[in-house]
Amino acid sequence: MELKLLSQSVIKISKTAGAFIRQQYFLFNEKNVEVKSLNSLVSFVDITAEKMIVEELKNIFPDAGFLTEEKTVEESKAEWLWIIDPLDGTTNFIHGIPTFAVSIGLMHKGKMKLGVVYEIMRDECFSAYKGSQSQLNGKPIYVSERKTLVDSLIATGFPYEKFDFIPPYLKTLSYLMQHTRGIRRIGSAAVDLAYTACGRFDGFFEYNLNPWDVAAGAFIVQQAGGQLSCFSGSDNFIFGREIMAGNRLINRELLQVIQQNNSTSTNAIGTNS
Ligand code: IPD
Ligand code: CA
Ligand code: CA
C-alpha cells in the first residue's frame, strides 16, 4: 500500500484507540494499576489499546511484524516493523493529568517510513510519512527557528529508573536552568517529540527511552526539518536509549552541553547494570 494511504489508515487507528483511552480516562480507578518494574506502571487500558491497534494494523498490512511496549504480540524480525506504544504517558493517565498519546511508527529495514503521534485529550494528531512534510491535524509543521539556547524552551524527561544517570543529568539541567527560557517535563516522550516537531519546544533530550517511546515522534521531528542524535552524536537514537532532538543550531549547542557534562561527571552514563 502507498505510504500516504497507509498513513491515513494509521491516523484512523490511532484515533480509535485514542477514543477508547479517553473514555477510560474519565472512569479510571487506581485499583487497576499494575507495577511492571520500578516506577513503570500499566493497566488494562494500555493492554486493551495495544490489542486494538495490533489487530487493525494486521488487517491493513499483514506482512509487517511488531515491536510493542506491552508485548501483546510476539516481537518480530520482519523487514517491515510496526513500533508501538499504545499509551505513552501512563503515569500522567493514572494520575489524572491529561497529557498522553498513542504512538505508532513503521520501519522498513531499519529506516523509518511513517509515524503517528495522537495526543488524545487535545485531539491533536501529528503525522508524517517518507517524502512528506510532517503535519498536525492535516496542516504542515516545522521545527522552531530559534537560534540559541538562551531563547529556547527545552523539554526533557527525568531519570526515574536508572539512577546512575542522575549526576551528569543534573549538571546539564543546572546549565539549562541558567541558560534557557525554561525547561518542561510533561511526562510523554512522544508528545515531547511532537511538540519539538511543531516548534512549541526548541529541543528535547532524555536518557533511557525505548524504541516505542521515540520511533514515531523522532521521525515526525525529522520530517519537520529537525535533527536528532544520541549524546555521542551518533544516529542510533531509536534503539540507543538516549535521544536529543531540535533544530540544527539548538541541537548543536545542546549536544555540546550534554557532552561536556557527561565527560566531566565522576559517574559516567550507563555504568550501572
Ligand atoms: C514514558 C514516557 C515518559 C518518559 C518515560 C517513558 P510510558 O512512557 O514517555 O515521558 O520519561 O521514560 O517510559 O511508560 O508512559 O509509556
Ligand atoms: Ca512510553
Ligand atoms: Ca506506554
Side-chain angles (χ1 to χ4, degrees), residues 120-171:
I120 299 164
M121 302 307 283
R122 288 168 58 92
D123 192 23
E124 288 197 326
C125 191
F126 300 83
S127 63
Y129 56 88
K130 190 73 193 164
S132 78
Q133 182 69 30
S134 294
Q135 298 193 336
L136 163 52
N137 289 347
K139 302 223 167 64
I141 52 171
Y142 304 87
V143 290
S144 90
E145 291 182 353
R146 293 201 183 83
K147 293 185 171 50
T148 60
L149 272 181
V150 179
D151 296 321
S152 295
L153 184 63
I154 301 296
T156 186
F158 302 140
Y160 63 93
E161 194 190 21
K162 297 264 182 191
F163 297 130
D164 66 342
F165 291 175
I166 289 177
Y169 180 80
L170 287 182
K171 283 190 187 171

Short mmCIF file of all heavy atoms in Angstrom, two decimals, residues 120-171:
data_model
loop_
_atom_site.label_atom_id
_atom_site.label_comp_id
_atom_site.label_asym_id
_atom_site.label_seq_id
_atom_site.Cartn_x
_atom_site.Cartn_y
_atom_site.Cartn_z
N ILE A 120 -4.19 12.55 22.79
CA ILE A 120 -5.60 12.19 22.86
C ILE A 120 -6.50 13.32 23.38
O ILE A 120 -7.49 13.67 22.75
CB ILE A 120 -5.73 10.93 23.75
CG1 ILE A 120 -4.94 9.79 23.09
CG2 ILE A 120 -7.18 10.57 23.99
CD1 ILE A 120 -4.65 8.62 24.00
N MET A 121 -6.16 13.90 24.52
CA MET A 121 -7.09 14.84 25.16
C MET A 121 -7.14 16.19 24.44
O MET A 121 -8.06 16.96 24.62
CB MET A 121 -6.74 15.02 26.64
CG MET A 121 -6.75 13.73 27.44
SD MET A 121 -8.29 12.79 27.30
CE MET A 121 -9.35 13.73 28.39
N ARG A 122 -6.13 16.48 23.64
CA ARG A 122 -6.15 17.71 22.85
C ARG A 122 -6.61 17.45 21.42
O ARG A 122 -6.66 18.36 20.60
CB ARG A 122 -4.76 18.36 22.84
CG ARG A 122 -4.38 18.98 24.19
CD ARG A 122 -2.92 19.35 24.24
NE ARG A 122 -2.51 20.29 23.22
CZ ARG A 122 -2.49 21.62 23.35
NH1 ARG A 122 -2.85 22.15 24.48
NH2 ARG A 122 -2.10 22.40 22.37
N ASP A 123 -6.90 16.18 21.12
CA ASP A 123 -7.29 15.78 19.76
C ASP A 123 -6.32 16.35 18.73
O ASP A 123 -6.72 16.90 17.71
CB ASP A 123 -8.73 16.23 19.48
CG ASP A 123 -9.29 15.59 18.21
OD1 ASP A 123 -8.79 14.52 17.80
OD2 ASP A 123 -10.21 16.17 17.60
N GLU A 124 -5.03 16.21 19.04
CA GLU A 124 -4.00 16.68 18.11
C GLU A 124 -3.27 15.48 17.52
O GLU A 124 -2.69 14.68 18.27
CB GLU A 124 -3.02 17.61 18.83
CG GLU A 124 -3.62 18.97 19.15
CD GLU A 124 -2.58 20.04 19.48
OE1 GLU A 124 -1.54 19.69 20.07
OE2 GLU A 124 -2.82 21.21 19.15
N CYS A 125 -3.32 15.40 16.21
CA CYS A 125 -2.69 14.25 15.55
C CYS A 125 -1.49 14.71 14.73
O CYS A 125 -1.62 15.46 13.76
CB CYS A 125 -3.71 13.55 14.65
SG CYS A 125 -3.06 11.97 14.10
N PHE A 126 -0.32 14.28 15.13
CA PHE A 126 0.94 14.61 14.46
C PHE A 126 1.29 13.42 13.57
O PHE A 126 1.26 12.29 14.05
CB PHE A 126 2.05 14.83 15.48
CG PHE A 126 1.77 15.95 16.46
CD1 PHE A 126 1.00 15.74 17.59
CD2 PHE A 126 2.30 17.22 16.24
CE1 PHE A 126 0.75 16.77 18.49
CE2 PHE A 126 2.05 18.26 17.14
CZ PHE A 126 1.28 18.04 18.26
N SER A 127 1.65 13.68 12.32
CA SER A 127 1.91 12.54 11.44
C SER A 127 2.94 12.91 10.38
O SER A 127 3.14 14.08 10.06
CB SER A 127 0.61 12.09 10.77
OG SER A 127 0.12 13.14 9.96
N ALA A 128 3.56 11.86 9.84
CA ALA A 128 4.49 12.05 8.73
C ALA A 128 4.69 10.71 8.04
O ALA A 128 4.55 9.67 8.67
CB ALA A 128 5.85 12.55 9.23
N TYR A 129 4.97 10.75 6.74
CA TYR A 129 5.41 9.55 6.04
C TYR A 129 6.59 9.96 5.17
O TYR A 129 6.79 11.14 4.88
CB TYR A 129 4.29 8.89 5.23
CG TYR A 129 3.61 9.79 4.24
CD1 TYR A 129 4.10 9.93 2.94
CD2 TYR A 129 2.50 10.55 4.59
CE1 TYR A 129 3.50 10.76 2.02
CE2 TYR A 129 1.88 11.40 3.68
CZ TYR A 129 2.38 11.50 2.41
OH TYR A 129 1.78 12.35 1.51
N LYS A 130 7.38 8.99 4.76
CA LYS A 130 8.60 9.28 3.98
C LYS A 130 8.22 10.07 2.73
O LYS A 130 7.31 9.66 1.99
CB LYS A 130 9.28 7.95 3.60
CG LYS A 130 10.65 8.11 3.02
CD LYS A 130 11.66 8.49 4.07
CE LYS A 130 12.96 8.94 3.47
NZ LYS A 130 13.79 9.65 4.45
N GLY A 131 8.86 11.19 2.53
CA GLY A 131 8.56 12.00 1.35
C GLY A 131 7.60 13.14 1.65
O GLY A 131 7.40 14.02 0.81
N SER A 132 7.00 13.14 2.85
CA SER A 132 6.02 14.20 3.17
C SER A 132 6.62 15.18 4.18
O SER A 132 7.57 14.86 4.88
CB SER A 132 4.77 13.59 3.80
OG SER A 132 5.01 13.27 5.16
N GLN A 133 6.01 16.37 4.26
CA GLN A 133 6.26 17.27 5.39
C GLN A 133 5.41 16.77 6.55
O GLN A 133 4.30 16.27 6.34
CB GLN A 133 5.81 18.70 4.98
CG GLN A 133 6.06 19.76 6.04
CD GLN A 133 7.54 20.05 6.25
OE1 GLN A 133 8.36 19.91 5.33
NE2 GLN A 133 7.91 20.44 7.47
N SER A 134 5.91 16.87 7.76
CA SER A 134 5.10 16.47 8.91
C SER A 134 3.88 17.37 9.02
O SER A 134 3.91 18.53 8.60
CB SER A 134 5.91 16.59 10.19
OG SER A 134 6.96 15.67 10.16
N GLN A 135 2.82 16.82 9.63
CA GLN A 135 1.58 17.57 9.75
C GLN A 135 1.02 17.49 11.16
O GLN A 135 1.26 16.51 11.87
CB GLN A 135 0.53 16.98 8.80
CG GLN A 135 0.92 17.08 7.35
CD GLN A 135 -0.23 16.79 6.41
OE1 GLN A 135 -1.17 16.11 6.78
NE2 GLN A 135 -0.14 17.33 5.20
N LEU A 136 0.27 18.51 11.52
CA LEU A 136 -0.54 18.49 12.75
C LEU A 136 -1.97 18.73 12.31
O LEU A 136 -2.28 19.78 11.74
CB LEU A 136 -0.06 19.58 13.71
CG LEU A 136 -1.02 19.97 14.84
CD1 LEU A 136 -1.49 18.76 15.64
CD2 LEU A 136 -0.36 20.98 15.78
N ASN A 137 -2.80 17.73 12.56
CA ASN A 137 -4.20 17.77 12.11
C ASN A 137 -4.30 18.24 10.65
O ASN A 137 -5.12 19.12 10.31
CB ASN A 137 -5.04 18.65 13.03
CG ASN A 137 -5.26 17.99 14.38
OD1 ASN A 137 -4.98 16.80 14.55
ND2 ASN A 137 -5.75 18.73 15.35
N GLY A 138 -3.44 17.68 9.81
CA GLY A 138 -3.53 17.95 8.36
C GLY A 138 -2.80 19.19 7.89
O GLY A 138 -2.73 19.44 6.69
N LYS A 139 -2.22 19.98 8.81
CA LYS A 139 -1.50 21.20 8.37
C LYS A 139 0.00 21.01 8.57
O LYS A 139 0.42 20.44 9.58
CB LYS A 139 -1.95 22.40 9.20
CG LYS A 139 -3.43 22.67 9.13
CD LYS A 139 -3.71 24.17 8.98
CE LYS A 139 -5.13 24.46 8.59
NZ LYS A 139 -6.12 24.08 9.58
N PRO A 140 0.82 21.51 7.61
CA PRO A 140 2.26 21.32 7.72
C PRO A 140 2.86 21.94 8.99
O PRO A 140 2.42 23.02 9.40
CB PRO A 140 2.84 22.01 6.48
CG PRO A 140 1.72 22.75 5.86
CD PRO A 140 0.42 22.25 6.42
N ILE A 141 3.84 21.25 9.56
CA ILE A 141 4.51 21.80 10.75
C ILE A 141 6.02 21.80 10.52
O ILE A 141 6.55 21.00 9.72
CB ILE A 141 4.18 20.99 12.03
CG1 ILE A 141 4.42 19.49 11.83
CG2 ILE A 141 2.77 21.27 12.51
CD1 ILE A 141 4.31 18.67 13.11
N TYR A 142 6.71 22.66 11.26
CA TYR A 142 8.14 22.85 11.11
C TYR A 142 8.77 22.99 12.49
O TYR A 142 8.12 23.54 13.39
CB TYR A 142 8.43 24.14 10.30
CG TYR A 142 7.74 24.12 8.96
CD1 TYR A 142 6.43 24.57 8.82
CD2 TYR A 142 8.39 23.61 7.84
CE1 TYR A 142 5.77 24.52 7.60
CE2 TYR A 142 7.74 23.56 6.60
CZ TYR A 142 6.44 24.00 6.49
OH TYR A 142 5.79 23.94 5.28
N VAL A 143 10.01 22.57 12.62
CA VAL A 143 10.71 22.80 13.89
C VAL A 143 10.95 24.30 14.05
O VAL A 143 10.88 25.06 13.08
CB VAL A 143 12.06 22.04 13.97
CG1 VAL A 143 11.84 20.55 14.09
CG2 VAL A 143 12.97 22.39 12.81
N SER A 144 11.25 24.71 15.28
CA SER A 144 11.40 26.15 15.55
C SER A 144 12.62 26.71 14.83
O SER A 144 13.53 25.98 14.45
CB SER A 144 11.53 26.39 17.06
OG SER A 144 12.88 26.35 17.44
N GLU A 145 12.61 28.03 14.71
CA GLU A 145 13.75 28.69 14.03
C GLU A 145 14.66 29.38 15.04
O GLU A 145 15.56 30.11 14.65
CB GLU A 145 13.23 29.71 13.02
CG GLU A 145 12.55 29.03 11.85
CD GLU A 145 12.07 30.00 10.79
OE1 GLU A 145 12.15 31.22 11.03
OE2 GLU A 145 11.63 29.52 9.74
N ARG A 146 14.42 29.18 16.33
CA ARG A 146 15.26 29.87 17.33
C ARG A 146 16.70 29.41 17.18
O ARG A 146 16.97 28.25 16.89
CB ARG A 146 14.73 29.60 18.74
CG ARG A 146 13.38 30.26 18.91
CD ARG A 146 13.01 30.50 20.34
NE ARG A 146 11.67 31.07 20.31
CZ ARG A 146 10.54 30.34 20.23
NH1 ARG A 146 10.59 29.03 20.23
NH2 ARG A 146 9.37 30.94 20.15
N LYS A 147 17.59 30.36 17.42
CA LYS A 147 18.99 30.10 17.06
C LYS A 147 19.88 29.77 18.25
O LYS A 147 20.94 29.19 18.08
CB LYS A 147 19.57 31.32 16.32
CG LYS A 147 18.93 31.51 14.96
CD LYS A 147 19.60 32.65 14.20
CE LYS A 147 19.13 32.74 12.76
NZ LYS A 147 17.68 32.74 12.60
N THR A 148 19.45 30.17 19.44
CA THR A 148 20.33 29.94 20.60
C THR A 148 19.54 29.35 21.77
O THR A 148 18.33 29.61 21.91
CB THR A 148 20.97 31.26 21.10
OG1 THR A 148 19.92 32.13 21.47
CG2 THR A 148 21.84 31.91 20.05
N LEU A 149 20.24 28.63 22.61
CA LEU A 149 19.61 28.04 23.79
C LEU A 149 18.97 29.11 24.67
O LEU A 149 17.91 28.90 25.24
CB LEU A 149 20.64 27.26 24.61
CG LEU A 149 20.87 25.80 24.23
CD1 LEU A 149 21.91 25.18 25.17
CD2 LEU A 149 19.58 24.99 24.28
N VAL A 150 19.63 30.25 24.77
CA VAL A 150 19.14 31.32 25.66
C VAL A 150 17.69 31.70 25.35
O VAL A 150 16.92 32.06 26.24
CB VAL A 150 20.07 32.57 25.53
CG1 VAL A 150 19.59 33.70 26.40
CG2 VAL A 150 21.48 32.18 25.92
N ASP A 151 17.31 31.59 24.07
CA ASP A 151 15.94 31.97 23.67
C ASP A 151 15.00 30.77 23.63
O ASP A 151 13.88 30.87 23.13
CB ASP A 151 15.97 32.59 22.27
CG ASP A 151 16.76 33.88 22.26
OD1 ASP A 151 16.63 34.65 23.22
OD2 ASP A 151 17.51 34.11 21.29
N SER A 152 15.46 29.61 24.11
CA SER A 152 14.72 28.37 23.85
C SER A 152 13.98 27.82 25.04
O SER A 152 14.34 28.05 26.19
CB SER A 152 15.72 27.29 23.40
OG SER A 152 16.29 27.65 22.19
N LEU A 153 12.92 27.04 24.73
CA LEU A 153 12.21 26.25 25.73
C LEU A 153 12.56 24.78 25.45
O LEU A 153 12.34 24.28 24.34
CB LEU A 153 10.70 26.47 25.61
CG LEU A 153 9.83 25.77 26.66
CD1 LEU A 153 10.15 26.31 28.07
CD2 LEU A 153 8.35 25.99 26.35
N ILE A 154 13.12 24.13 26.44
CA ILE A 154 13.65 22.77 26.24
C ILE A 154 12.84 21.76 27.05
O ILE A 154 12.51 22.01 28.21
CB ILE A 154 15.13 22.72 26.70
CG1 ILE A 154 15.99 23.72 25.91
CG2 ILE A 154 15.70 21.31 26.58
CD1 ILE A 154 16.09 23.45 24.41
N ALA A 155 12.53 20.64 26.41
CA ALA A 155 11.79 19.56 27.10
C ALA A 155 12.75 18.44 27.47
O ALA A 155 13.77 18.21 26.80
CB ALA A 155 10.70 19.03 26.20
N THR A 156 12.41 17.73 28.53
CA THR A 156 13.22 16.59 28.95
C THR A 156 12.35 15.59 29.70
O THR A 156 11.17 15.84 29.94
CB THR A 156 14.40 17.06 29.83
OG1 THR A 156 15.25 15.96 30.11
CG2 THR A 156 13.92 17.63 31.16
N GLY A 157 12.93 14.46 30.03
CA GLY A 157 12.29 13.52 30.94
C GLY A 157 13.29 13.22 32.03
O GLY A 157 14.49 13.08 31.77
N PHE A 158 12.83 13.15 33.28
CA PHE A 158 13.76 12.89 34.38
C PHE A 158 14.05 11.40 34.46
O PHE A 158 13.14 10.58 34.30
CB PHE A 158 13.16 13.32 35.72
CG PHE A 158 12.79 14.77 35.77
CD1 PHE A 158 11.63 15.17 36.40
CD2 PHE A 158 13.60 15.74 35.20
CE1 PHE A 158 11.27 16.51 36.45
CE2 PHE A 158 13.25 17.08 35.24
CZ PHE A 158 12.08 17.47 35.87
N PRO A 159 15.30 11.03 34.78
CA PRO A 159 15.60 9.61 35.03
C PRO A 159 14.72 9.13 36.19
O PRO A 159 14.62 9.82 37.20
CB PRO A 159 17.07 9.62 35.44
CG PRO A 159 17.62 10.93 35.00
CD PRO A 159 16.48 11.89 34.98
N TYR A 160 14.05 8.00 36.02
CA TYR A 160 13.20 7.52 37.11
C TYR A 160 13.48 6.06 37.43
O TYR A 160 12.82 5.46 38.26
CB TYR A 160 11.71 7.68 36.74
CG TYR A 160 11.30 6.88 35.54
CD1 TYR A 160 10.77 5.60 35.69
CD2 TYR A 160 11.48 7.37 34.25
CE1 TYR A 160 10.42 4.85 34.58
CE2 TYR A 160 11.15 6.63 33.15
CZ TYR A 160 10.61 5.37 33.31
OH TYR A 160 10.27 4.62 32.22
N GLU A 161 14.51 5.51 36.82
CA GLU A 161 14.76 4.08 36.97
C GLU A 161 16.26 3.78 37.03
O GLU A 161 16.72 3.09 37.89
CB GLU A 161 14.12 3.38 35.77
CG GLU A 161 13.99 1.90 35.92
CD GLU A 161 13.59 1.28 34.58
OE1 GLU A 161 13.81 1.91 33.53
OE2 GLU A 161 13.08 0.16 34.60
N LYS A 162 17.02 4.34 36.12
CA LYS A 162 18.48 4.12 36.08
C LYS A 162 19.13 5.31 36.77
O LYS A 162 19.44 6.31 36.15
CB LYS A 162 18.95 4.05 34.63
CG LYS A 162 18.37 2.90 33.87
CD LYS A 162 19.33 1.72 33.89
CE LYS A 162 18.76 0.59 33.08
NZ LYS A 162 19.47 -0.65 33.25
N PHE A 163 19.35 5.21 38.07
CA PHE A 163 19.70 6.40 38.83
C PHE A 163 21.17 6.82 38.71
O PHE A 163 21.53 7.91 39.12
CB PHE A 163 19.28 6.24 40.28
CG PHE A 163 17.78 6.11 40.42
CD1 PHE A 163 17.22 5.08 41.16
CD2 PHE A 163 16.94 6.99 39.78
CE1 PHE A 163 15.84 4.96 41.26
CE2 PHE A 163 15.55 6.88 39.87
CZ PHE A 163 15.01 5.86 40.62
N ASP A 164 22.01 5.97 38.14
CA ASP A 164 23.39 6.45 37.96
C ASP A 164 23.49 7.48 36.84
O ASP A 164 24.52 8.10 36.64
CB ASP A 164 24.37 5.29 37.74
CG ASP A 164 24.11 4.57 36.44
OD1 ASP A 164 23.02 4.74 35.88
OD2 ASP A 164 25.01 3.86 35.98
N PHE A 165 22.39 7.70 36.13
CA PHE A 165 22.36 8.76 35.13
C PHE A 165 22.21 10.14 35.77
O PHE A 165 22.36 11.15 35.12
CB PHE A 165 21.15 8.58 34.19
CG PHE A 165 21.22 7.40 33.27
CD1 PHE A 165 20.14 7.10 32.46
CD2 PHE A 165 22.33 6.59 33.17
CE1 PHE A 165 20.17 6.02 31.60
CE2 PHE A 165 22.38 5.51 32.31
CZ PHE A 165 21.30 5.23 31.52
N ILE A 166 21.89 10.16 37.04
CA ILE A 166 21.47 11.44 37.64
C ILE A 166 22.58 12.49 37.70
O ILE A 166 22.34 13.64 37.33
CB ILE A 166 20.82 11.19 39.02
CG1 ILE A 166 19.44 10.54 38.80
CG2 ILE A 166 20.66 12.49 39.80
CD1 ILE A 166 18.71 10.17 40.06
N PRO A 167 23.83 12.16 38.14
CA PRO A 167 24.83 13.26 38.27
C PRO A 167 25.08 14.05 36.98
O PRO A 167 24.96 15.29 37.01
CB PRO A 167 26.08 12.52 38.77
CG PRO A 167 25.53 11.31 39.47
CD PRO A 167 24.33 10.90 38.68
N PRO A 168 25.38 13.41 35.86
CA PRO A 168 25.58 14.24 34.66
C PRO A 168 24.30 14.94 34.23
O PRO A 168 24.33 16.08 33.74
CB PRO A 168 26.05 13.25 33.59
CG PRO A 168 25.62 11.90 34.07
CD PRO A 168 25.62 11.98 35.57
N TYR A 169 23.18 14.26 34.44
CA TYR A 169 21.89 14.85 34.07
C TYR A 169 21.64 16.15 34.85
O TYR A 169 21.21 17.15 34.28
CB TYR A 169 20.77 13.83 34.32
CG TYR A 169 19.41 14.37 33.97
CD1 TYR A 169 18.98 14.39 32.64
CD2 TYR A 169 18.59 14.91 34.94
CE1 TYR A 169 17.76 14.93 32.30
CE2 TYR A 169 17.36 15.44 34.62
CZ TYR A 169 16.95 15.45 33.30
OH TYR A 169 15.74 15.99 32.97
N LEU A 170 21.94 16.12 36.15
CA LEU A 170 21.70 17.32 36.97
C LEU A 170 22.59 18.48 36.55
O LEU A 170 22.19 19.64 36.60
CB LEU A 170 21.91 17.00 38.46
CG LEU A 170 20.81 16.16 39.11
CD1 LEU A 170 21.11 15.95 40.59
CD2 LEU A 170 19.44 16.80 38.94
N LYS A 171 23.80 18.13 36.12
CA LYS A 171 24.69 19.20 35.65
C LYS A 171 24.11 19.87 34.40
O LYS A 171 24.13 21.09 34.27
CB LYS A 171 26.06 18.63 35.31
CG LYS A 171 26.91 18.32 36.52
CD LYS A 171 28.31 17.99 36.02
CE LYS A 171 29.19 17.50 37.13
NZ LYS A 171 30.47 16.97 36.60
#
